[in-house]
Amino acid sequence: VWLINTGTGNAFTLDGGATGSGVYGLKITGYPRIYGETTSSNGIYCRSIYRSHIEVSVRGAGTTFSGGRFEWCVSNNIWFIMNFNEGGLYTTPARGITVTSRASDNLESGWNNFRNIETSGLPVGVVVDDAFGTKFFGGAVQANTDGAHITPNSSGTVFYGTDFEANSGNDTEDAGNCTQFIGCDFDDGPRFITGALGGKVISGNTKNIYIDSGAKDCLISGCDYNWQLIAGVGAITDNGTRTRFRDVRNAGTDELYDKPRAREAITVGASPFTYTNTSGNDEIILVYGGTVSLLALSRFAGDPMPVTGQYILRPRDSIYIEYSAAPYRDWE
């Protein structure tokens, strides 16, 4: 089935209304081809649709719109293809998939499952905005300028086993709350930008991992970076706050990366001196030299308690030192 829009407006619309409780139980199968043109709006526009099954192949939409726009859609299963490798794109929109709220009352989309999507040859493959619990299972987000944008308005977005490949800009730009990439493959790597909170990369393969300033409490666990399938040398760039690393393997050297920074020595300030572990990992602390009269550990900014010998600072622990001649402090 070919559905061709030769004028303005959305090429194909499923509209449960700008107000009210919407509709449910729809089923579209067989991947009908939806063609919009430069004067069109979105390729497929879904609003106020619940518990439905949608399979579509979009071949064109307006240049400032989306191949598929989903507003206040809840608990749907969606198979979406917009792939320039499958017959080419009649016109190229700004975004492949946009998941967002209903504009009339800002009700958010939630718990939609996108399965084996293909978004290719677009400025941005996927945009998740004003949505929670959005899940992507498998599929590929490839050969776009940017692969996926997750905005600060979104929470609980998860990509399971998705392939991010040959995107000329960033594979992902995540500023959302608790976004997860589980078992995904990246040509370049995931990027957590300012606003990202609690983002996670679990398992999977990547060349690089980027954590920008302003990203907080990210967890990188059990994945491989410096993935040798991709030419060049991969690296971890961590400028975030309290980033945690757990058994992250360098696929090029077979080494495990479990700490945020290498060992370093820091000059102790005026007595009494307090240092707080602001990272997301444990820090091994060694204080030596000088003339120390009191060495104490404070847990979670509580009252100091005297300690002796070698010890570990957990995240948010502090060390308190009183001295007459300054010691040195090493950590790793």
Side-chain angles (χ1 to χ4, degrees):
V1 176
W2 292 29
L3 303 172
I4 302 174
N5 181 37
T6 59
T8 59
N10 300 306
F12 184 39
T13 297
L14 297 175
D15 192 359
T19 60
S21 57
V23 298
Y24 63 91
L26 301 177
K27 191 170 187 178
I28 299 173
T29 61
Y31 292 97
R33 298 177 180 179
I34 299 170
Y35 289 81
E37 58 181 11
T38 56
T39 58
S40 301
S41 298
N42 302 287
I44 179 172
Y45 175 76
C46 298
R47 178 170 63 176
S48 309
I49 305 297
Y50 319 112
R51 296 189 300 282
S52 294
H53 177 116
I54 300 170
E55 300 174 7
V56 289
S57 177
V58 177
R59 298 295 180 86
T63 55
T64 60
F65 291 88
S66 299
R69 183 175 176 87
F70 303 88
E71 295 185 5
W72 199 37
C73 292
V74 179
S75 298
N76 298 291
N77 284 301
I78 301 166
W79 286 256
F80 180 93
I81 295 174
M82 191 166 196
N83 187 351
F84 74 102
N85 288 320
E86 297 186 15
L89 299 180
Y90 185 60
T91 59
T92 303
R95 299 163 294 277
I97 295 170
T98 297
V99 188
T100 188
S101 59
R102 189 165 67 178
S104 57
D105 49 19
N106 295 319
L107 290 175
E108 296 179 336
S109 291
W111 308 303
N112 294 293
N113 298 319
F114 288 84
R115 301 181 181 276
N116 288 327
I117 65 167
E118 293 281 345
T119 56
S120 303
L122 302 156
V124 182
V126 174
V127 176
V128 182
D129 173 64
D130 262 357
F132 52 91
T134 308
K135 306 294 192 300
F136 295 86
F137 296 90
V141 180
Q142 62 182 355
N144 305 290
T145 302
D146 283 350
H149 290 176
I150 299 94
T151 78
N153 302 321
S154 294
S155 179
T157 305
V158 185
F159 291 85
Y160 294 96
T162 303
D163 176 35
F164 293 89
E165 180 181 344
N167 298 297
S168 61
N170 291 316
D171 281 338
T172 67
E173 291 184 7
D174 172 50
N177 182 30
C178 295
T179 303
Q180 299 183 60
F181 302 94
I182 301 175
C184 295
D185 292 335
F186 295 88
D187 259 13
D188 183 22
R191 181 181 290 273
F192 298 98
I193 64 175
T194 297
L197 179 62
K200 297 175 177 64
V201 178
I202 308 296
S203 187
N205 301 294
T206 181
K207 194 67 183 174
N208 302 291
I209 299 170
Y210 306 97
I211 303 150
D212 293 351
S213 175
K216 186 176 180 181
D217 293 334
C218 295
L219 171 64
I220 315 300
S221 178
C223 63
D224 280 12
Y225 79 102
N226 196 18
W227 190 26
Q228 295 305 291
L229 182 63
I230 309 302
V233 178
I236 296 173
T237 303
D238 177 24
N239 293 310
T241 301
R242 292 204 303 260
T243 306
R244 294 162 293 155
F245 296 92
R246 302 286 187 268
D247 297 326
V248 181
R249 177 176 173 268
N250 185 325
T253 64
D254 201 31
E255 296 175 330
L256 290 180
Y257 186 96
D258 282 292
K259 56 183 182 292
R261 283 166 284 186
R263 175 174 172 165
E264 64 181 44
I266 295 180
T267 302
V268 176
S271 180
F273 172 74
T274 299
Y275 169 80
T276 300
N277 177 6
T278 59
S279 78
N281 283 54
D282 296 345
E283 292 182 347
I284 301 172
I285 300 297
L286 174 63
V287 178
Y288 63 94
T291 304
V292 177
S293 57
L294 176 64
L295 183 65
L297 177 68
S298 176
R299 172 59 50 87
F300 293 104
D303 295 330
M305 54 184 180
V307 295
T308 58
Q310 184 174 331
Y311 57 94
I312 295 174
L313 284 188
R314 306 295 185 189
R316 296 178 60 195
D317 282 359
S318 297
I319 184 173
Y320 175 88
I321 304 173
E322 293 181 2
Y323 65 90
S324 57
Y328 299 96
R329 180 194 64 81
D330 279 355
W331 70 279
E332 63 178 29

